Structure formats: C-alpha cells, structure tokens
Amino acid sequence: MQNLNTILLQFDIPPGTYEWDFIQAGLINSTYKIYSIGGGNSYLLQQINTNIFTEPERISRNVAIISNYLKHHFPDYLFGHFIPSKTGNTLVVDNGNTWRMQPFFENTYSINTIQTVEQAELTAYEFARFSAMLSNLDSSTLTPAIHDFHNLELRWNQFLAALKSASEERLATAQNEIVTLHNFQHLVGMYTDIVSNKLLPLRIIHADTKINNILFDVATHRPLCIIDYDTIMPGYFISDLGDMLRTMLCIGDENCNDKKQLLIRNDFYHAIIRGYKNGMDGIWSSLEDRYVDYAGQFMTYMQALRFLTDYLNQDIYYKINYETHNLDRAKNQIYFLNQLSSL
Ligand code: GN1
Ligand code: MG
C-alpha cells in the first residue's frame, strides 16, 4: 500500500500520528480512511483520477458553492467539505498525483445493497431532498466536472465509435450484448426529445446516486448524509431517480454473478418513487411525473452502454478485477433493463 505520509504532511498531519486503510469505494478514484493513532478525528483522503476528472478544481469550486449555500439556507444539513492544505488549497498535487481530504463522518456506515423497503424509501427521499434544497440556487453557477456526463446521445455515439475500433475478439465475445443494446436505441430518441423540446426542468442533481453514496447512522439506521460530490451538476431528475432504481431494486450489485440476485423487487420500485417524490415536495412537476418509468431504463441503459463501451475499448475507464469484468457488468445491466422495460 502506498506511503501517504508526504501527502498527509501537506495537510499538516505529522508522520507517525495517523494510520490508513484503503477503502473499496467507487470505480474511479482511490479512497483511504485516515485514522488517528491517538484517537483524534478521522479523514477520508482521495487520490483523484485525473484521466477522468481532468480539472478537479471544478469539483472543489462546485462543492464550495453548494456548501456555502447550504450553510446559509439549511445550516443543520450535514454536508462534507474539502479540508485546505497548508498552502490553503484543497487540492494537493504530489508527484503528478492529485489528492484531497475531507472529514470522515463517525458512527456511520455505507451499504452496497439495500435490504429493506424502508431503507430504499428513505434513501430516495434523501437524494430528492438534496436537489430540492438546491432548487433556488442558480444551476448555471456550477461547472460540470465532466462535460455531457449523462448525455445519452453522447454515450450512444461513444458506443458506436468503440464498435468501430474494437478488436475482433472483444466484438465476438460481446456480440449478443451489442445486438441487445441496438434494440433499445429508442431510449436514446426519448432522451433527445426531452433535451431538444425542454420537456424536463433543469435541476441541480447529484448524478451518482448509487446506494453506496449515502451514509447511514449506526444508531438510527437512517440516512445521515449523502457523499461523493464529484458529479453534482445541472441535470434532470431522471439521472438521480434512475440510478437509484438501477442500484436499489435488486439485491445484487452491478458486479454480482448470480442472476437470481438481479430480480426486481416490485415493492421497492414503488417505495423509491414514493420517497423521491416526497423529497421533492413542493417543486415536483407533472412533467416529471411522465418520465418516472423512463428514469430507471435511461440510467440502466446508459450504464450498460458505458460498461460495454469500456470493454470494447480494452478497459480504459473503469477499474476491473478480471478480463471480462466490464462485459459481465454490461450483461447484468442488460438483464436488469429487460425486466425494467417490461414492468
Ligand atoms: C463511477 O466511481 P464511482 O463508483 O463513484 C461512475 C458513475 C457510474 C459508476 C458505476 C465519474 O462512479 O457514473 O455510475 O461508476 N463515475 C464516473 O458503478 O464516471
Ligand atoms: Mg462517484
């Protein structure tokens, strides 16, 4: 494991006072929990993947804007912030690597799969509440860390480009999935329609609402706060509701290799939508109501495209543990999408 002492020193943490554990969190950045040997505060230290987040200062700026807004309008709301280094910058660049640190919220835990309907409803409520609290903050003050992040048309075009450049071998092994993703192309058309005809209100969204991006309170087992602020940006509710449907409707996660665990739990479907709409109370629009069923398909399809594209591109984006990992992830998304589309 990497020696983090030089990085910690730049955050004014002297060597020998803290230890660290690597945390399996996310497919992009590398995350460490830093804990004090003497029992002081703990932190989360992240090495940012700058191949993907090419301008990490955008994230710092967005988080500062949101954090200030929330402090002013919702002072009781728990939201992390980035800790300045000794030079006052929240980003530390060392040996070509970029780091940032934030407080670790004690007495919390995160989960990779949802067990109870109640957890699902509360989580959906919490993510919706986040968007709702920011509904009077001008979304154009934020700069997306990744341009066109949830632009389904772009994801589709990236998939087509990957088909052109992929090796024969990868094309052959992904043949069935390639056909299926073409069969769902109408979902891209629906997205284009939404954007070009301005069918949905632009909101500030989290854009990575998978279930392990929420912290639960060890005492109450209720959601305490949302984390992973990398992709907070202007967008549509279908991203946030959609990713929750994608990651919370079945017991298995996107890496799971047991199809039985990828079956949709109908009661969870209704609970997530109920929780989300309640969290959006007062600002939810009838236009949005029309796209509730589209949301889950939109995000699951996009994720299938993204995993398959990465497989075809020889795994340049997502961390993988074995050769066909991205292909298997895409298969899971497709299996799930087939169910969603026939609900
Ligand atoms: C990535 O790294 P993580 O888990 O926070 C990805 C999301 C995907 C997700 C799939 C910046 O998020 O869009 O939904 O993997 N983030 C980026 O698990 O691409
Ligand atoms: Mg993320």
Side-chain angles (χ1 to χ4, degrees), residues 322-336:
Y322 58 95
E323 204 192 327
T324 54
H325 201 159
N326 274 320
L327 176 61
D328 288 347
R329 286 168 174 156
K331 286 182 183 172
N332 283 347
Q333 297 299 305
I334 289 173
Y335 185 73
F336 193 67

Side-chain angles (χ1 to χ4, degrees), residues 147-218:
H147 192 58
D148 273 336
F149 186 48
H150 282 179
N151 179 341
L152 190 56
E153 239 173 68
L154 173 92
R155 299 300 181 188
W156 169 255
N157 288 329
Q158 289 174 333
F159 170 61
L160 296 183
L163 286 175
K164 287 206 180 110
S165 59
S167 69
E168 286 300 319
E169 190 212 327
R170 294 235 162 173
L171 284 172
T173 44
Q175 204 184 358
N176 291 341
E177 289 66 39
I178 293 170
V179 171
T180 312
L181 291 186
H182 276 86
N183 291 341
F184 277 99
Q185 200 197 335
H186 60 277
L187 295 173
V188 183
M190 287 179 74
Y191 174 77
T192 309
D193 188 39
I194 291 172
V195 178
S196 39
N197 295 316
K198 297 194 168 44
L199 299 181
L200 291 174
L202 206 56
R203 301 195 179 285
I204 293 176
I205 59 161
H206 179 275
D208 193 9
T209 56
K210 56 185 190 183
I211 179 55
N212 53 13
N213 277 336
I214 196 141
L215 295 180
F216 289 86
D217 187 317
V218 287

Side-chain angles (χ1 to χ4, degrees), residues 27 40 67 74 90 96 108 121 144 154 179 193 202 278 309-310 312 318 320 332:
L27 305 184
S67 170
F74 303 92
T90 55
T108 62
E121 182 164 351
L154 173 92
V179 171
D193 188 39
L202 206 56
N278 283 339
T309 301
D310 200 32
L312 295 171
Y318 293 112
I320 52 163
N332 283 347

Side-chain angles (χ1 to χ4, degrees), residues 25-29 46 53 149 206-210 212-213 227-231:
L27 305 184
I28 311 285
N29 297 325
Q46 281 193 307
F53 294 110
F149 186 48
H206 179 275
D208 193 9
T209 56
K210 56 185 190 183
N212 53 13
N213 277 336
I227 54 172
D228 188 353
Y229 308 139
D230 289 337
T231 54

